[in-house]
Every structure is written in C-alpha cells, then in structure tokens.
Amino acid sequence: MAIIDRDRQRRVYLVGFMGAGKTSVGECLARELRFRFVDLDREIEREAARTIAEIFRDDGESVFRRLEARALRAIADPAGVVVGTGGGTLTLWENRDFIHRTGVSIWLDAPLDVMIERCRLSDHRPLLADRPRMEALFADRLAAYRGADLRIDASVDAPGALAARIVSLVPGLR
Ligand code: S3P
C-alpha cells in the first residue's frame, strides 16, 4: 500500500456494497483504534429526522445523495474517526475525491450472493432489489470501489478479525 500521510491515517472510510459489513467491521475497527465510529446512514437520518426509506420515498435518490454528501463532510472532523459509508457513497465523484483527500479508504468486498443474503431480512434499504438489478448496480459501482486504497475480502472472517487485518495492513494506522 502507498505511504499515507499522518492526517489521512486518522480517518478511515469503509466502502463497499450493501451487506459488505461496513457497520459491524467499522465498530470493531473504531474500538481497536480508539477512534469514534460514525455510520453515515444513521447520521443522515439524524440530521434529516427521517429514515433513509422515507427520504427516498418522499424526495428521491438525488436529494438523498445531496444529504449524504453533506453529512460525509460534516462528520470528517475532528480526525480520529472510522466512517461506515453507504453502498452508493462513492458514486459521486465529489465524495470519492473528498474521501481520497482526507483519509484512507478500505473496500470490504465479498461475493454478491453473500452480500445479498446478508441483506435478505433488511427492510431499510430502498435500493434492495432482485438479483439481476443488484448485479447491475454492483457492476456499475465496481470501478469506484476498486479505486479504494485497500481491498479486503470480507466474506469469511468475523468483523473483529477483519478489523485486526485492516490494522495490520494499513501502514501507520496504529
Ligand atoms: C445505498 C446503500 C445504503 C444506504 C442507501 C443507499 C446504496 O447503505 O446508503 O440505502 O446506494 O447502495 P448500506 O450500504 O449501509 O446498506
């Protein structure tokens, strides 16, 4: 992995598709690093005082993306933070650029079927759809995920083990 400057080492952004485990791994990683953990979706909901599903239903995806971009900037300071982003956060160029400039991005990757299975019981993801549509969405986003600083296979290990692996692989994280 390329050398990362001190300030960027103190912001870790977990990126990846729905069901990749960004929240569970992020919580473990934050505990390990003694950083705070912020789940971007929860932050958007708190700010808007509405659920993600309500925002999508009432205002549509583009308004959601605006709120998401704003929340991302608001939570980045102070440093010392692990951010669990949303599956579509990287679809906006401005977000990719912001994440790259301010922190380290870790792509939690897993086979699509594993991620779909993990989302099966979820009722709060408006973009959850049948397999062909999930496949298309994932394919659309692959290039953005591939731009992350590091890719981790998140399909087998438990969140704590994945967090430990991230700490061991990112130079200077601890
Ligand atoms: C989305 C993923 C969700 C949430 C919103 C949109 C997406 O986050 O931000 O429903 O575009 O893939 P998770 O990846 O945490 O499910």
Side-chain angles (χ1 to χ4, degrees), residues 69-119:
R70 195 196 301 159
L72 177 67
R73 280 148 189 78
I75 55 165
D77 281 313
V81 64
V82 175
V83 180
T85 65
T89 308
L90 291 187
T91 55
L92 262 68
W93 177 86
E94 306 88 281
N95 293 344
R96 292 201 293 280
D97 177 61
F98 180 79
I99 285 174
H100 186 70
R101 278 188 294 104
T102 60
V104 190
S105 51
I106 317 281
W107 171 26
L108 300 185
D109 189 25
L112 186 58
D113 288 324
V114 170
M115 297 189 284
I116 291 175
E117 177 58 26
R118 286 180 186 159
C119 294

mmCIF file of all heavy atoms in Angstrom, residues 69-119:
data_model
loop_
_atom_site.group_PDB
_atom_site.id
_atom_site.type_symbol
_atom_site.label_atom_id
_atom_site.label_comp_id
_atom_site.label_asym_id
_atom_site.label_seq_id
_atom_site.Cartn_x
_atom_site.Cartn_y
_atom_site.Cartn_z
ATOM 1 N N ALA A 69 -23.763 13.558 0.815
ATOM 2 C CA ALA A 69 -22.507 14.285 0.566
ATOM 3 C C ALA A 69 -22.265 15.314 1.672
ATOM 4 O O ALA A 69 -21.141 15.492 2.145
ATOM 5 C CB ALA A 69 -22.563 14.964 -0.797
ATOM 6 N N ARG A 70 -23.339 15.960 2.096
ATOM 7 C CA ARG A 70 -23.198 16.970 3.150
ATOM 8 C C ARG A 70 -22.812 16.310 4.480
ATOM 9 O O ARG A 70 -21.925 16.774 5.190
ATOM 10 C CB ARG A 70 -24.518 17.739 3.301
ATOM 11 C CG ARG A 70 -24.335 19.018 4.090
ATOM 12 C CD ARG A 70 -25.644 19.597 4.596
ATOM 13 N NE ARG A 70 -26.576 19.900 3.519
ATOM 14 C CZ ARG A 70 -27.890 20.026 3.685
ATOM 15 N NH1 ARG A 70 -28.428 19.864 4.878
ATOM 16 N NH2 ARG A 70 -28.667 20.307 2.679
ATOM 17 N N ALA A 71 -23.476 15.201 4.800
ATOM 18 C CA ALA A 71 -23.194 14.508 6.064
ATOM 19 C C ALA A 71 -21.753 13.985 6.082
ATOM 20 O O ALA A 71 -21.072 14.035 7.108
ATOM 21 C CB ALA A 71 -24.178 13.355 6.267
ATOM 22 N N LEU A 72 -21.288 13.516 4.938
ATOM 23 C CA LEU A 72 -19.917 12.991 4.860
ATOM 24 C C LEU A 72 -18.914 14.075 5.269
ATOM 25 O O LEU A 72 -17.985 13.813 6.040
ATOM 26 C CB LEU A 72 -19.640 12.520 3.428
ATOM 27 C CG LEU A 72 -18.239 12.011 3.120
ATOM 28 C CD1 LEU A 72 -17.967 10.706 3.883
ATOM 29 C CD2 LEU A 72 -18.068 11.766 1.614
ATOM 30 N N ARG A 73 -19.136 15.269 4.759
ATOM 31 C CA ARG A 73 -18.212 16.365 5.100
ATOM 32 C C ARG A 73 -18.331 16.758 6.572
ATOM 33 O O ARG A 73 -17.341 17.088 7.213
ATOM 34 C CB ARG A 73 -18.454 17.567 4.184
ATOM 35 C CG ARG A 73 -17.786 17.358 2.834
ATOM 36 C CD ARG A 73 -18.513 17.995 1.683
ATOM 37 N NE ARG A 73 -17.923 17.574 0.418
ATOM 38 C CZ ARG A 73 -18.130 16.399 -0.181
ATOM 39 N NH1 ARG A 73 -18.906 15.481 0.377
ATOM 40 N NH2 ARG A 73 -17.547 16.110 -1.326
ATOM 41 N N ALA A 74 -19.547 16.715 7.090
ATOM 42 C CA ALA A 74 -19.780 17.168 8.466
ATOM 43 C C ALA A 74 -19.135 16.230 9.498
ATOM 44 O O ALA A 74 -18.717 16.669 10.563
ATOM 45 C CB ALA A 74 -21.283 17.274 8.724
ATOM 46 N N ILE A 75 -19.054 14.951 9.175
ATOM 47 C CA ILE A 75 -18.566 14.012 10.195
ATOM 48 C C ILE A 75 -17.062 13.784 10.144
ATOM 49 O O ILE A 75 -16.504 13.141 11.014
ATOM 50 C CB ILE A 75 -19.248 12.629 10.063
ATOM 51 C CG1 ILE A 75 -19.053 12.109 8.647
ATOM 52 C CG2 ILE A 75 -20.712 12.716 10.421
ATOM 53 C CD1 ILE A 75 -19.347 10.665 8.534
ATOM 54 N N ALA A 76 -16.418 14.318 9.127
ATOM 55 C CA ALA A 76 -14.987 14.016 8.949
ATOM 56 C C ALA A 76 -14.102 14.696 9.988
ATOM 57 O O ALA A 76 -12.959 14.292 10.190
ATOM 58 C CB ALA A 76 -14.553 14.411 7.541
ATOM 59 N N ASP A 77 -14.615 15.709 10.620
ATOM 60 C CA ASP A 77 -13.823 16.416 11.630
ATOM 61 C C ASP A 77 -14.459 16.309 12.990
ATOM 62 O O ASP A 77 -15.683 16.376 13.089
ATOM 63 C CB ASP A 77 -13.679 17.884 11.237
ATOM 64 C CG ASP A 77 -12.599 18.016 10.162
ATOM 65 O OD1 ASP A 77 -11.526 17.433 10.353
ATOM 66 O OD2 ASP A 77 -12.876 18.662 9.138
ATOM 67 N N PRO A 78 -13.690 16.178 14.046
ATOM 68 C CA PRO A 78 -12.241 16.054 14.007
ATOM 69 C C PRO A 78 -11.803 14.670 13.503
ATOM 70 O O PRO A 78 -12.610 13.736 13.462
ATOM 71 C CB PRO A 78 -11.851 16.234 15.475
ATOM 72 C CG PRO A 78 -13.039 15.788 16.239
ATOM 73 C CD PRO A 78 -14.236 16.091 15.414
ATOM 74 N N ALA A 79 -10.527 14.563 13.161
ATOM 75 C CA ALA A 79 -9.982 13.273 12.747
ATOM 76 C C ALA A 79 -10.026 12.315 13.933
ATOM 77 O O ALA A 79 -10.400 12.712 15.042
ATOM 78 C CB ALA A 79 -8.554 13.455 12.241
ATOM 79 N N GLY A 80 -9.630 11.059 13.687
ATOM 80 C CA GLY A 80 -9.781 10.049 14.737
ATOM 81 C C GLY A 80 -11.143 9.404 14.576
ATOM 82 O O GLY A 80 -11.877 9.208 15.535
ATOM 83 N N VAL A 81 -11.493 9.092 13.328
ATOM 84 C CA VAL A 81 -12.840 8.596 13.055
ATOM 85 C C VAL A 81 -12.807 7.446 12.042
ATOM 86 O O VAL A 81 -11.990 7.436 11.122
ATOM 87 C CB VAL A 81 -13.743 9.758 12.539
ATOM 88 C CG1 VAL A 81 -13.271 10.320 11.193
ATOM 89 C CG2 VAL A 81 -15.199 9.336 12.430
ATOM 90 N N VAL A 82 -13.664 6.468 12.286
ATOM 91 C CA VAL A 82 -13.926 5.424 11.301
ATOM 92 C C VAL A 82 -15.334 5.684 10.773
ATOM 93 O O VAL A 82 -16.277 5.827 11.560
ATOM 94 C CB VAL A 82 -13.868 4.015 11.933
ATOM 95 C CG1 VAL A 82 -14.275 2.950 10.907
ATOM 96 C CG2 VAL A 82 -12.476 3.717 12.475
ATOM 97 N N VAL A 83 -15.471 5.770 9.459
ATOM 98 C CA VAL A 83 -16.772 6.062 8.862
ATOM 99 C C VAL A 83 -17.269 4.835 8.090
ATOM 100 O O VAL A 83 -16.564 4.315 7.219
ATOM 101 C CB VAL A 83 -16.676 7.255 7.867
ATOM 102 C CG1 VAL A 83 -18.050 7.532 7.247
ATOM 103 C CG2 VAL A 83 -16.142 8.499 8.562
ATOM 104 N N GLY A 84 -18.450 4.375 8.429
ATOM 105 C CA GLY A 84 -19.112 3.353 7.628
ATOM 106 C C GLY A 84 -19.931 4.092 6.586
ATOM 107 O O GLY A 84 -20.939 4.715 6.916
ATOM 108 N N THR A 85 -19.472 4.087 5.337
ATOM 109 C CA THR A 85 -20.192 4.830 4.306
ATOM 110 C C THR A 85 -21.386 4.017 3.830
ATOM 111 O O THR A 85 -21.572 2.864 4.238
ATOM 112 C CB THR A 85 -19.266 5.137 3.104
ATOM 113 O OG1 THR A 85 -18.899 3.900 2.476
ATOM 114 C CG2 THR A 85 -18.017 5.904 3.529
ATOM 115 N N GLY A 86 -22.186 4.571 2.945
ATOM 116 C CA GLY A 86 -23.281 3.822 2.326
ATOM 117 C C GLY A 86 -22.768 3.165 1.046
ATOM 118 O O GLY A 86 -21.742 3.596 0.491
ATOM 119 N N GLY A 87 -23.502 2.170 0.589
ATOM 120 C CA GLY A 87 -23.060 1.442 -0.600
ATOM 121 C C GLY A 87 -22.909 2.315 -1.840
ATOM 122 O O GLY A 87 -22.166 1.986 -2.759
ATOM 123 N N GLY A 88 -23.623 3.447 -1.857
ATOM 124 C CA GLY A 88 -23.572 4.295 -3.055
ATOM 125 C C GLY A 88 -22.788 5.588 -2.859
ATOM 126 O O GLY A 88 -22.748 6.433 -3.761
ATOM 127 N N THR A 89 -22.165 5.736 -1.701
ATOM 128 C CA THR A 89 -21.466 7.000 -1.415
ATOM 129 C C THR A 89 -20.425 7.323 -2.489
ATOM 130 O O THR A 89 -20.273 8.479 -2.898
ATOM 131 C CB THR A 89 -20.777 6.938 -0.022
ATOM 132 O OG1 THR A 89 -21.741 6.539 0.949
ATOM 133 C CG2 THR A 89 -20.187 8.275 0.370
ATOM 134 N N LEU A 90 -19.724 6.298 -2.962
ATOM 135 C CA LEU A 90 -18.644 6.550 -3.918
ATOM 136 C C LEU A 90 -19.148 6.828 -5.331
ATOM 137 O O LEU A 90 -18.350 7.110 -6.222
ATOM 138 C CB LEU A 90 -17.694 5.347 -3.973
ATOM 139 C CG LEU A 90 -16.832 5.064 -2.749
ATOM 140 C CD1 LEU A 90 -15.839 3.943 -3.065
ATOM 141 C CD2 LEU A 90 -16.070 6.297 -2.294
ATOM 142 N N THR A 91 -20.451 6.756 -5.539
ATOM 143 C CA THR A 91 -20.940 7.009 -6.898
ATOM 144 C C THR A 91 -20.760 8.478 -7.280
ATOM 145 O O THR A 91 -20.701 8.803 -8.454
ATOM 146 C CB THR A 91 -22.431 6.619 -7.070
ATOM 147 O OG1 THR A 91 -23.187 7.300 -6.072
ATOM 148 C CG2 THR A 91 -22.622 5.127 -6.914
ATOM 149 N N LEU A 92 -20.677 9.351 -6.302
ATOM 150 C CA LEU A 92 -20.442 10.776 -6.602
ATOM 151 C C LEU A 92 -18.941 11.049 -6.635
ATOM 152 O O LEU A 92 -18.233 10.758 -5.666
ATOM 153 C CB LEU A 92 -21.073 11.669 -5.518
ATOM 154 C CG LEU A 92 -22.443 12.265 -5.850
ATOM 155 C CD1 LEU A 92 -23.475 11.150 -5.891
ATOM 156 C CD2 LEU A 92 -22.817 13.333 -4.848
ATOM 157 N N TRP A 93 -18.534 11.665 -7.719
ATOM 158 C CA TRP A 93 -17.114 11.989 -7.869
ATOM 159 C C TRP A 93 -16.624 12.842 -6.697
ATOM 160 O O TRP A 93 -15.526 12.614 -6.171
ATOM 161 C CB TRP A 93 -16.887 12.720 -9.205
ATOM 162 C CG TRP A 93 -15.462 13.121 -9.338
ATOM 163 C CD1 TRP A 93 -14.456 12.352 -9.830
ATOM 164 C CD2 TRP A 93 -14.872 14.355 -8.906
ATOM 165 N NE1 TRP A 93 -13.264 13.034 -9.740
ATOM 166 C CE2 TRP A 93 -13.487 14.265 -9.184
ATOM 167 C CE3 TRP A 93 -15.374 15.521 -8.332
ATOM 168 C CZ2 TRP A 93 -12.606 15.310 -8.887
ATOM 169 C CZ3 TRP A 93 -14.496 16.564 -8.037
ATOM 170 C CH2 TRP A 93 -13.125 16.444 -8.318
ATOM 171 N N GLU A 94 -17.429 13.815 -6.272
ATOM 172 C CA GLU A 94 -17.008 14.706 -5.184
ATOM 173 C C GLU A 94 -16.733 13.920 -3.909
ATOM 174 O O GLU A 94 -15.850 14.281 -3.134
ATOM 175 C CB GLU A 94 -18.084 15.763 -4.844
ATOM 176 C CG GLU A 94 -18.558 16.587 -5.992
ATOM 177 C CD GLU A 94 -19.715 15.922 -6.706
ATOM 178 O OE1 GLU A 94 -19.459 14.993 -7.508
ATOM 179 O OE2 GLU A 94 -20.868 16.310 -6.459
ATOM 180 N N ASN A 95 -17.510 12.870 -3.674
ATOM 181 C CA ASN A 95 -17.290 12.060 -2.468
ATOM 182 C C ASN A 95 -16.011 11.231 -2.586
ATOM 183 O O ASN A 95 -15.261 11.094 -1.625
ATOM 184 C CB ASN A 95 -18.479 11.126 -2.204
ATOM 185 C CG ASN A 95 -19.737 11.877 -1.821
ATOM 186 O OD1 ASN A 95 -19.672 13.061 -1.471
ATOM 187 N ND2 ASN A 95 -20.878 11.222 -1.893
ATOM 188 N N ARG A 96 -15.788 10.689 -3.788
ATOM 189 C CA ARG A 96 -14.550 9.911 -3.983
ATOM 190 C C ARG A 96 -13.343 10.812 -3.733
ATOM 191 O O ARG A 96 -12.385 10.442 -3.054
ATOM 192 C CB ARG A 96 -14.479 9.341 -5.405
ATOM 193 C CG ARG A 96 -15.503 8.278 -5.704
ATOM 194 C CD ARG A 96 -15.096 7.416 -6.880
ATOM 195 N NE ARG A 96 -15.069 8.101 -8.171
ATOM 196 C CZ ARG A 96 -16.129 8.355 -8.919
ATOM 197 N NH1 ARG A 96 -17.331 8.000 -8.503
ATOM 198 N NH2 ARG A 96 -16.011 8.958 -10.086
ATOM 199 N N ASP A 97 -13.420 12.005 -4.286
ATOM 200 C CA ASP A 97 -12.316 12.948 -4.151
ATOM 201 C C ASP A 97 -12.126 13.342 -2.673
ATOM 202 O O ASP A 97 -11.003 13.341 -2.159
ATOM 203 C CB ASP A 97 -12.642 14.182 -5.002
ATOM 204 C CG ASP A 97 -11.593 15.252 -4.882
ATOM 205 O OD1 ASP A 97 -10.441 14.958 -5.239
ATOM 206 O OD2 ASP A 97 -11.907 16.361 -4.422
ATOM 207 N N PHE A 98 -13.226 13.626 -1.989
ATOM 208 C CA PHE A 98 -13.143 14.035 -0.581
ATOM 209 C C PHE A 98 -12.529 12.919 0.270
ATOM 210 O O PHE A 98 -11.627 13.147 1.083
ATOM 211 C CB PHE A 98 -14.543 14.387 -0.062
ATOM 212 C CG PHE A 98 -14.557 14.821 1.375
ATOM 213 C CD1 PHE A 98 -14.192 16.112 1.730
ATOM 214 C CD2 PHE A 98 -14.914 13.925 2.380
ATOM 215 C CE1 PHE A 98 -14.180 16.505 3.064
ATOM 216 C CE2 PHE A 98 -14.908 14.311 3.705
ATOM 217 C CZ PHE A 98 -14.538 15.607 4.054
ATOM 218 N N ILE A 99 -13.006 11.700 0.055
ATOM 219 C CA ILE A 99 -12.516 10.551 0.825
ATOM 220 C C ILE A 99 -11.034 10.332 0.557
ATOM 221 O O ILE A 99 -10.243 10.114 1.468
ATOM 222 C CB ILE A 99 -13.364 9.295 0.486
ATOM 223 C CG1 ILE A 99 -14.718 9.420 1.174
ATOM 224 C CG2 ILE A 99 -12.643 8.002 0.874
ATOM 225 C CD1 ILE A 99 -15.725 8.347 0.833
ATOM 226 N N HIS A 100 -10.660 10.455 -0.693
ATOM 227 C CA HIS A 100 -9.262 10.241 -1.038
ATOM 228 C C HIS A 100 -8.352 11.314 -0.411
ATOM 229 O O HIS A 100 -7.257 11.017 0.061
ATOM 230 C CB HIS A 100 -9.090 10.198 -2.548
ATOM 231 C CG HIS A 100 -7.693 9.848 -2.941
ATOM 232 N ND1 HIS A 100 -7.172 8.578 -2.742
ATOM 233 C CD2 HIS A 100 -6.687 10.598 -3.438
ATOM 234 C CE1 HIS A 100 -5.916 8.573 -3.124
ATOM 235 N NE2 HIS A 100 -5.585 9.775 -3.548
ATOM 236 N N ARG A 101 -8.843 12.542 -0.416
ATOM 237 C CA ARG A 101 -8.012 13.631 0.122
ATOM 238 C C ARG A 101 -7.891 13.582 1.640
ATOM 239 O O ARG A 101 -6.886 14.002 2.206
ATOM 240 C CB ARG A 101 -8.584 14.994 -0.283
ATOM 241 C CG ARG A 101 -8.193 15.418 -1.691
ATOM 242 C CD ARG A 101 -8.603 16.836 -1.989
ATOM 243 N NE ARG A 101 -10.046 17.026 -2.033
ATOM 244 C CZ ARG A 101 -10.770 17.592 -1.083
ATOM 245 N NH1 ARG A 101 -10.208 18.068 0.005
ATOM 246 N NH2 ARG A 101 -12.086 17.718 -1.206
ATOM 247 N N THR A 102 -8.953 13.111 2.315
ATOM 248 C CA THR A 102 -8.985 13.269 3.770
ATOM 249 C C THR A 102 -8.683 12.000 4.553
ATOM 250 O O THR A 102 -8.477 12.083 5.771
ATOM 251 C CB THR A 102 -10.369 13.800 4.235
ATOM 252 O OG1 THR A 102 -11.381 12.860 3.827
ATOM 253 C CG2 THR A 102 -10.664 15.170 3.644
ATOM 254 N N GLY A 103 -8.682 10.841 3.893
ATOM 255 C CA GLY A 103 -8.496 9.629 4.691
ATOM 256 C C GLY A 103 -8.056 8.424 3.890
ATOM 257 O O GLY A 103 -7.673 8.525 2.730
ATOM 258 N N VAL A 104 -8.112 7.289 4.557
ATOM 259 C CA VAL A 104 -7.775 6.010 3.939
ATOM 260 C C VAL A 104 -9.087 5.295 3.628
ATOM 261 O O VAL A 104 -9.955 5.207 4.493
ATOM 262 C CB VAL A 104 -7.006 5.093 4.926
ATOM 263 C CG1 VAL A 104 -6.456 3.877 4.211
ATOM 264 C CG2 VAL A 104 -5.917 5.845 5.623
ATOM 265 N N SER A 105 -9.212 4.761 2.428
ATOM 266 C CA SER A 105 -10.448 4.047 2.100
ATOM 267 C C SER A 105 -10.180 2.558 1.991
ATOM 268 O O SER A 105 -9.204 2.119 1.387
ATOM 269 C CB SER A 105 -11.040 4.577 0.786
ATOM 270 O OG SER A 105 -10.059 4.599 -0.226
ATOM 271 N N ILE A 106 -11.037 1.794 2.647
ATOM 272 C CA ILE A 106 -10.901 0.335 2.650
ATOM 273 C C ILE A 106 -12.157 -0.250 2.018
ATOM 274 O O ILE A 106 -13.267 -0.027 2.516
ATOM 275 C CB ILE A 106 -10.804 -0.220 4.100
ATOM 276 C CG1 ILE A 106 -9.887 0.629 4.982
ATOM 277 C CG2 ILE A 106 -10.437 -1.697 4.092
ATOM 278 C CD1 ILE A 106 -8.442 0.413 4.818
ATOM 279 N N TRP A 107 -11.975 -0.996 0.963
ATOM 280 C CA TRP A 107 -13.111 -1.633 0.284
ATOM 281 C C TRP A 107 -13.337 -3.010 0.888
ATOM 282 O O TRP A 107 -12.470 -3.883 0.811
ATOM 283 C CB TRP A 107 -12.811 -1.725 -1.209
ATOM 284 C CG TRP A 107 -13.789 -2.535 -2.012
ATOM 285 C CD1 TRP A 107 -15.103 -2.783 -1.715
ATOM 286 C CD2 TRP A 107 -13.529 -3.199 -3.257
ATOM 287 N NE1 TRP A 107 -15.680 -3.560 -2.705
ATOM 288 C CE2 TRP A 107 -14.744 -3.827 -3.658
ATOM 289 C CE3 TRP A 107 -12.406 -3.310 -4.077
ATOM 290 C CZ2 TRP A 107 -14.843 -4.559 -4.838
ATOM 291 C CZ3 TRP A 107 -12.509 -4.042 -5.252
ATOM 292 C CH2 TRP A 107 -13.719 -4.660 -5.626
ATOM 293 N N LEU A 108 -14.496 -3.186 1.521
ATOM 294 C CA LEU A 108 -14.881 -4.506 2.019
ATOM 295 C C LEU A 108 -15.604 -5.203 0.877
ATOM 296 O O LEU A 108 -16.687 -4.788 0.468
ATOM 297 C CB LEU A 108 -15.802 -4.381 3.240
ATOM 298 C CG LEU A 108 -15.228 -3.659 4.458
ATOM 299 C CD1 LEU A 108 -16.212 -3.735 5.619
ATOM 300 C CD2 LEU A 108 -13.882 -4.245 4.864
ATOM 301 N N ASP A 109 -14.983 -6.246 0.375
ATOM 302 C CA ASP A 109 -15.529 -6.926 -0.789
ATOM 303 C C ASP A 109 -15.964 -8.340 -0.424
ATOM 304 O O ASP A 109 -15.368 -8.971 0.454
ATOM 305 C CB ASP A 109 -14.452 -6.978 -1.889
ATOM 306 C CG ASP A 109 -15.006 -7.463 -3.202
ATOM 307 O OD1 ASP A 109 -16.226 -7.318 -3.433
ATOM 308 O OD2 ASP A 109 -14.222 -7.993 -4.021
ATOM 309 N N ALA A 110 -17.002 -8.803 -1.057
ATOM 310 C CA ALA A 110 -17.489 -10.173 -0.836
ATOM 311 C C ALA A 110 -18.258 -10.571 -2.095
ATOM 312 O O ALA A 110 -18.693 -9.695 -2.853
ATOM 313 C CB ALA A 110 -18.394 -10.219 0.395
ATOM 314 N N PRO A 111 -18.437 -11.870 -2.311
ATOM 315 C CA PRO A 111 -19.244 -12.268 -3.459
ATOM 316 C C PRO A 111 -20.654 -11.678 -3.350
ATOM 317 O O PRO A 111 -21.211 -11.580 -2.246
ATOM 318 C CB PRO A 111 -19.284 -13.798 -3.350
ATOM 319 C CG PRO A 111 -18.083 -14.155 -2.539
ATOM 320 C CD PRO A 111 -17.896 -13.009 -1.576
ATOM 321 N N LEU A 112 -21.202 -11.307 -4.486
ATOM 322 C CA LEU A 112 -22.511 -10.644 -4.490
ATOM 323 C C LEU A 112 -23.572 -11.469 -3.751
ATOM 324 O O LEU A 112 -24.375 -10.932 -2.995
ATOM 325 C CB LEU A 112 -22.930 -10.387 -5.946
ATOM 326 C CG LEU A 112 -24.205 -9.567 -6.124
ATOM 327 C CD1 LEU A 112 -24.101 -8.200 -5.467
ATOM 328 C CD2 LEU A 112 -24.532 -9.421 -7.604
ATOM 329 N N ASP A 113 -23.551 -12.790 -3.944
ATOM 330 C CA ASP A 113 -24.585 -13.607 -3.294
ATOM 331 C C ASP A 113 -24.492 -13.558 -1.777
ATOM 332 O O ASP A 113 -25.508 -13.594 -1.085
ATOM 333 C CB ASP A 113 -24.497 -15.065 -3.775
ATOM 334 C CG ASP A 113 -24.988 -15.181 -5.202
ATOM 335 O OD1 ASP A 113 -25.941 -14.452 -5.553
ATOM 336 O OD2 ASP A 113 -24.412 -15.971 -5.969
ATOM 337 N N VAL A 114 -23.269 -13.459 -1.269
ATOM 338 C CA VAL A 114 -23.089 -13.348 0.181
ATOM 339 C C VAL A 114 -23.703 -12.025 0.664
ATOM 340 O O VAL A 114 -24.441 -11.980 1.657
ATOM 341 C CB VAL A 114 -21.583 -13.415 0.552
ATOM 342 C CG1 VAL A 114 -21.367 -13.066 2.021
ATOM 343 C CG2 VAL A 114 -20.999 -14.783 0.220
ATOM 344 N N MET A 115 -23.432 -10.952 -0.061
ATOM 345 C CA MET A 115 -23.949 -9.643 0.368
ATOM 346 C C MET A 115 -25.475 -9.588 0.256
ATOM 347 O O MET A 115 -26.149 -9.056 1.143
ATOM 348 C CB MET A 115 -23.274 -8.532 -0.448
ATOM 349 C CG MET A 115 -21.766 -8.489 -0.197
ATOM 350 S SD MET A 115 -20.935 -7.073 -0.913
ATOM 351 C CE MET A 115 -20.862 -7.532 -2.641
ATOM 352 N N ILE A 116 -26.004 -10.170 -0.802
ATOM 353 C CA ILE A 116 -27.472 -10.185 -0.955
ATOM 354 C C ILE A 116 -28.106 -10.983 0.183
ATOM 355 O O ILE A 116 -29.090 -10.564 0.786
ATOM 356 C CB ILE A 116 -27.883 -10.777 -2.334
ATOM 357 C CG1 ILE A 116 -27.472 -9.803 -3.446
ATOM 358 C CG2 ILE A 116 -29.374 -11.059 -2.384
ATOM 359 C CD1 ILE A 116 -27.722 -10.325 -4.864
ATOM 360 N N GLU A 117 -27.487 -12.116 0.502
ATOM 361 C CA GLU A 117 -28.018 -12.952 1.584
ATOM 362 C C GLU A 117 -28.028 -12.186 2.918
ATOM 363 O O GLU A 117 -28.990 -12.241 3.672
ATOM 364 C CB GLU A 117 -27.174 -14.243 1.691
ATOM 365 C CG GLU A 117 -27.554 -15.192 2.810
ATOM 366 C CD GLU A 117 -29.009 -15.678 2.740
ATOM 367 O OE1 GLU A 117 -29.573 -15.701 1.628
ATOM 368 O OE2 GLU A 117 -29.574 -16.022 3.817
ATOM 369 N N ARG A 118 -26.958 -11.438 3.156
ATOM 370 C CA ARG A 118 -26.889 -10.674 4.414
ATOM 371 C C ARG A 118 -27.965 -9.586 4.482
ATOM 372 O O ARG A 118 -28.354 -9.152 5.555
ATOM 373 C CB ARG A 118 -25.518 -10.002 4.549
ATOM 374 C CG ARG A 118 -24.396 -10.974 4.895
ATOM 375 C CD ARG A 118 -23.108 -10.209 5.004
ATOM 376 N NE ARG A 118 -21.951 -11.060 5.198
ATOM 377 C CZ ARG A 118 -20.696 -10.675 4.925
ATOM 378 N NH1 ARG A 118 -20.460 -9.467 4.451
ATOM 379 N NH2 ARG A 118 -19.696 -11.492 5.138
ATOM 380 N N CYS A 119 -28.409 -9.110 3.322
ATOM 381 C CA CYS A 119 -29.427 -8.042 3.297
ATOM 382 C C CYS A 119 -30.849 -8.594 3.264
ATOM 383 O O CYS A 119 -31.804 -7.834 3.295
ATOM 384 C CB CYS A 119 -29.246 -7.169 2.048
ATOM 385 S SG CYS A 119 -27.730 -6.232 2.009
#
